[in-house]
Amino acid sequence: MLDDLKARNRQWAAAKTAADPGFFRRLVGQQAPEYFWIGCSDSRVPANEIVGLDPGEMFVHRNVANLAPPQDANYLSVLQFAVDVIRVKHILVVGHYGCGGIAAAISGRRLGLVDHWLHPIREVHEANRAELDTLPEGRARLDRLCELNVMRQVRNVASDVFVQDAWGRGQTLFVHGWVYSLENGLVTDLNVTVDGPDRAAALP
Ligand code: CO
């Protein structure tokens, strides 16, 4: 089963080795990426590929709707490893327009367990109701909610104790908020980059 995938894997590994004979040997030695990506699980948003990075160059955590919930042990474990052990320099929270998780969160339909997972998005929606209601219903509102959700998750990351402690000991660490467009493959920087505890407090 899945013979096509196994065959493609062999081709991929052979091509990597042909282009750079020491490629895999170096990666075995250590993992020292400068970037930590928190993105959506959506198959159309492949983290490394979008920013042209090879294996070993980006630490990645993905979940439905790119959330950074302060009680989620999975996300927190990855965050702590990225900040304390790997000591990444940049954390990128990357949402995407057309996110099914964002749409589902405010659709009013009951989907099951994921309704609980998506709860933080409904909170972002409520908190920004006045602004969202000024936009045309549908696409424009959902796109803005994608952006607001990224900003909120940037705030979650920046206010986390692991990140606060890193800044406290003088570690260089930036938290960025981006949104990716499925339509043209481009990322937009939301310009909410946080580089220390003072900037974190100013986020929406
Ligand atoms: Co999504």
Side-chain angles (χ1 to χ4, degrees), residues 40-42 64-66 96 98-101:
C40 185
S41 298
D42 194 306
V64 174
N66 43 271
H96 68 102
C99 183

Side-chain angles (χ1 to χ4, degrees), residues 39-45 63-66 94-102 146 182:
C40 185
S41 298
D42 194 306
S43 66
R44 299 165 295 178
V45 194
N63 58 39
V64 174
N66 43 271
V94 186
H96 68 102
Y97 298 123
C99 183
I102 299 284
C146 287
L182 298 174

Side-chain angles (χ1 to χ4, degrees), residues 67-145:
L67 297 181
Q71 294 88 16
D72 177 36
N74 182 6
Y75 147 71
L76 290 174
S77 303
V78 183
L79 175 68
Q80 182 178 25
F81 195 77
V83 172
D84 289 356
V85 181
I86 299 179
R87 296 192 163 230
V88 297
K89 292 198 170 59
H90 300 275
I91 301 175
L92 303 96
V93 179
V94 186
H96 68 102
Y97 298 123
C99 183
I102 299 284
I106 58 163
S107 69
R109 278 177 287 125
R110 287 284 162 267
L111 300 166
L113 181 59
V114 77
D115 292 324
H116 296 278
W117 175 255
L118 297 173
H119 181 80
I121 296 168
R122 286 194 290 278
E123 288 187 324
V124 172
H125 182 246
E126 277 308 309
N128 296 278
R129 201 70 190 247
E131 181 198 334
L132 289 165
D133 282 350
T134 65
L135 298 169
E137 215 170 320
R139 171 86 187 262
R141 270 188 214 181
L142 286 172
D143 282 356
R144 183 58 181 157
L145 186 55

